[in-house]
Amino acid sequence: MCGIVGLFLKDKSLEPKLGEMLTAMLITMTDRGPDSAGIAIYGGESKGRTKMTVQSDTPETAFDGLEAALSTAVGGPVAVEIKSTHAVLDIPAGTGAKARAALNDMGIRVMSRGDSLEIYKEVGLPKDVAAQFDISAMSGTHGIGHTRMATESAVTTMGAHPFNTGDDQCLVHNGSLSNHNSLRRKLRREGIHIETENDTEVGAAYLTWQMQNGATLGEALTSSLDDLDGFFTFVVGTKDGFGVVRDPIACKPAVMAETDQYVAFGSEYRAMVDLPGIENARVWEPEPATVYFWSHNNTPTATEKAA
Amino acid sequence: MQTIDLSETGLRATNKMLHAQADNTNQTAWEIVNPKGAHAIACGLNAPIEVTVKGSTGYYCGGMNQQATINIHGSAGPGTGENIMSGKIVIEGDASQYLGATGHGGMIVVKGNASSRCGISMKGVNIVVQGNIGHMSAFMGQSGNLVVCGDAGDALGDSCYEARFFVRGTVKSLGADCEKKEMREEHLTLLQGLLDEAGIDADPAEFTRYGSARTLYNFDVDNAGAY
């Protein structure tokens, strides 16, 4: 069991409250996943710059002098904003690979990379994790949160969701994949970097691999229905929006709500009860084996693709 | 009418109050406000009382119900009315997966749609859905009736025993050993009675009956490959 929450804002006036609304939703899902929590938030971009969120268990020493060391490594100006065990790095666009190599040498873990995505995740109760990073003060256009009750791998920071798949992409998962070991071996042979023994990371890596080979996110999600065995409700985030897909058996719960102001996702309805105007929202369960997607790029409607 | 604010009273105290009602209680009308999708609201009731929940409920509302009537003025979460023994549950909105699972008796009415696994392993409950139902509904259904005024999803009645299914719309696919059956006079009468009890206006003649082909009842070596 795990809990998933997601919020995609259509009404710009709600953007300053995104973190606050997501935090309340996340905390309601504590009893679905009390061992770790994470949140992915899309907070806007600055031109010509890339964001990386990084983590260390020993932030005092690891982040000390990081700004200067990274500037040298990437050959350009770097800004570092420390938030507890995490830090958000602002680096020149196109220097992501150099930065990743340098961070790897320093023993600092990369949580996410993209133009606007930031990921914060740690072991602990959702309310503590949210407070640790002051998520409720964050603004943004959309975000995804996850509360984890581990089944397939250890309770660690790296085993927590969301998983960063490609630039500005992330994935959260409720369920368990049963063919993740064979798929991990296959993807590693294809040159895809997979960090942990976690099943969801394999799902995330699978989507990355599909998209590296030319698939759109929608196509990658559709093909995941054929190639991933097991149970899953996936919510994926991109720079422009978020998508939802459930396996054909669809035993992992999912509820969605839509108003003129937002589209919301919750593992249970109770995660959404305090959203504004929820009593008049259109509330429904996403159909099994059907890909849904909402984007700020298009008129925000559910585009369904028969799988 | 007794009104309980669930957000103030709390779930345990609320259910305890409802459990304390005896067969001959004169407090027969109860209203629960601010349910906010909480789990296990009005579970395990055993008295002829009527409980109206003003809003949407989470997992297992009205589970194991005996005698009581429970009205949900909203949508209902997974496992609503699980193992219902008697009484009636009426859901004004939609119902999530495994509605009325293993139910032994009583009636569940859904004014909207019901999700997957509706009536799974039903053992005597009557379920009437005004809208559509999802896949794998009435899997291993043993007895009772499932009435669907809309359409049914994939694998209706897979491995069913003697439960009866009446569907007015289309059936996406039938499960193993479930087949279309003749609608005889007795079935029209039975269906009319169920629709009347559910308070739904529909013509029984528009429905098709499905049920067990009874080929999986006993082991047949020719079926060995199917196990």
Side-chain angles (χ1 to χ4, degrees):
Chain A
M1 193 157 71
C2 290
I4 299 176
V5 298
L7 200 51
F8 170 89
L9 299 179
K10 300 183 199 173
D11 180 352
K12 281 195 170 308
S13 72
L14 286 177
E15 288 180 6
K17 298 186 78 177
L18 179 74
E20 189 185 329
M21 292 192 284
L22 266 178
T23 300
M25 293 170 79
L26 191 75
I27 290 171
T28 310
M29 290 293 94
T30 297
D31 32 350
R32 294 193 69 87
D35 66 40
S36 40
I39 208 147
I41 207 150
Y42 293 84
E45 53 184 308
S46 45
K47 269 217 168 326
R49 308 292 292 174
T50 293
K51 267 187 203 175
M52 282 180 118
T53 321
V54 298
Q55 188 270 356
S56 169
D57 290 337
T58 52
E60 303 81 10
T61 49
F63 298 157
D64 187 32
L66 181 59
E67 209 166 283
L70 261 189
S71 291
T72 313
V74 304
V78 170
V80 176
E81 187 192 352
I82 297 170
K83 291 186 178 182
S84 185
T85 54
H86 287 44
V88 182
L89 314 180
D90 177 88
I91 61 173
T95 62
K98 278 186 199 165
R100 195 182 278 269
L103 290 162
N104 193 39
D105 291 342
M106 294 179 230
I108 295 174
R109 298 152 171 164
V110 177
M111 301 279 109
S112 70
R113 190 180 78 173
D115 294 339
S116 81
L117 170 66
E118 295 170 28
I119 287 179
Y120 301 90
K121 58 186 190 183
E122 275 300 354
V123 172
L125 285 172
K127 72 173 168 60
D128 297 334
V129 175
Q132 186 178 349
F133 302 110
D134 201 13
I135 302 292
S136 59
M138 294 183 73
S139 65
T141 51
H142 54 293
I144 296 169
H146 186 268
T147 63
R148 181 170 187 232
M149 189 176 282
T151 53
E152 296 288 312
S153 71
V155 178
T156 58
T157 304
M158 293 310 280
H161 306 213
F163 289 94
N164 183 208
T165 51
D167 280 6
D168 279 313
Q169 282 159 0
C170 71
L171 173 78
V172 298
H173 174 205
N174 177 15
S176 55
L177 302 179
S178 48
N179 63 337
H180 64 100
N181 283 327
S182 58
L183 195 56
R184 185 183 296 105
R185 285 191 292 271
K186 177 184 165 176
L187 291 169
R188 277 181 176 155
R189 277 199 301 276
E190 298 282 338
I192 303 285
H193 175 77
I194 299 176
E195 188 101 3
T196 69
E197 295 307 299
N198 181 280
D199 58 331
T200 306
E201 193 190 5
V202 173
Y206 171 83
L207 296 177
T208 306
W209 174 66
Q210 282 284 343
M211 287 184 286
Q212 278 180 7
N213 289 309
T216 63
L217 179 63
E219 287 163 352
L221 287 172
T222 303
S223 65
S224 75
L225 289 163
D226 291 328
D227 293 338
L228 300 182
D229 294 339
F231 300 116
F232 53 88
T233 289
F234 285 140
V235 178
V236 295
T238 68
K239 193 158 91 174
D240 304 312
F242 76 41
V244 174
V245 64
R246 305 172 77 193
D247 71 79
I249 304 293
C251 64
K252 294 300 175 187
V255 184
M256 302 213 58
E258 183 166 15
T259 72
D260 291 342
Q261 290 186 291
Y262 57 80
V263 178
F265 178 97
S267 290
E268 298 178 36
Y269 173 75
R270 69 193 165 112
M272 307 192 278
V273 292
D274 291 323
L275 292 176
I278 187 72
E279 49 290 330
N280 298 314
R282 183 172 81 92
V283 177
W284 80 100
E285 283 189 359
E287 293 287 324
T290 303
V291 176
Y292 294 78
F293 204 81
W294 286 266
S295 169
H296 285 294
N297 268 341
N298 306 311
T299 318
T301 50
T303 44
E304 298 186 20
K305 273 189 199 166
Chain B
M1 163 97 73
Q2 317 290 311
T3 298
I4 303 173
D5 186 335
L6 192 68
S7 57
E8 282 175 14
T9 307
L11 183 70
R12 277 184 187 218
T14 299
N15 281 342
K16 210 170 168 184
M17 237 184 287
L18 297 172
H19 292 162
Q21 304 308 310
D23 272 351
N24 57 354
T25 177
N26 54 15
Q27 295 179 330
T28 54
W30 295 77
E31 185 180 73
I32 298 177
V33 298
N34 287 320
K36 296 194 170 188
H39 299 180
I41 295 172
C43 254
L45 303 192
N46 188 8
I49 57 175
E50 180 158 0
V51 179
T52 298
V53 186
K54 307 285 268 186
S56 294
T57 57
Y59 282 77
Y60 308 123
C61 179
M64 302 177 285
N65 188 59
Q66 296 180 71
Q67 303 187 66
T69 296
I70 299 169
N71 305 304
I72 300 171
H73 289 187
S75 289
T80 297
E82 187 165 270
N83 212 56
I84 180 173
M85 302 301 287
S86 64
K88 190 174 183 181
I89 298 174
V90 181
I91 300 156
E92 295 293 328
D94 298 329
S96 187
Q97 55 180 333
Y98 49 97
L99 174 77
T102 75
H104 285 251
M107 174 174 266
I108 303 178
V109 181
V110 184
K111 301 285 178 73
N113 302 313
S115 183
S116 59
R117 293 169 277 273
C118 175
I120 186 169
S121 197
M122 55 196 284
K123 297 175 168 73
V125 64
N126 292 322
I127 301 175
V128 182
V129 180
Q130 197 155 13
N132 307 322
I133 60 169
H135 62 275
M136 290 304 281
S137 286
F139 174 60
M140 290 185 79
Q142 288 145 60
S143 73
N145 301 285
L146 173 60
V147 179
V148 184
C149 300
D151 303 331
D154 272 318
L156 174 70
D158 194 290
S159 309
C160 62
Y161 295 83
E162 292 303 300
R164 299 183 197 88
F165 320 124
F166 300 97
V167 183
R168 183 161 68 170
T170 59
V171 174
K172 201 168 173 196
S173 67
L174 289 172
D177 206 36
C178 182
E179 64 175 14
K180 193 170 164 177
K181 298 197 173 220
E182 179 194 6
M183 199 72 165
R184 294 192 298 269
E185 200 52 45
E186 70 211 73
H187 303 116
L188 292 168
T189 310
L190 169 76
L191 181 53
Q192 185 65 64
L194 292 167
L195 289 165
D196 288 347
E197 195 185 338
I200 288 173
D201 183 23
D203 180 2
E206 292 173 0
F207 287 75
T208 305
R209 180 170 71 105
Y210 302 88
S212 177
R214 303 187 178 105
T215 59
L216 293 178
Y217 272 34
N218 301 301
F219 180 75
D220 181 332
V221 74
D222 292 338
N223 290 337
Y227 293 99

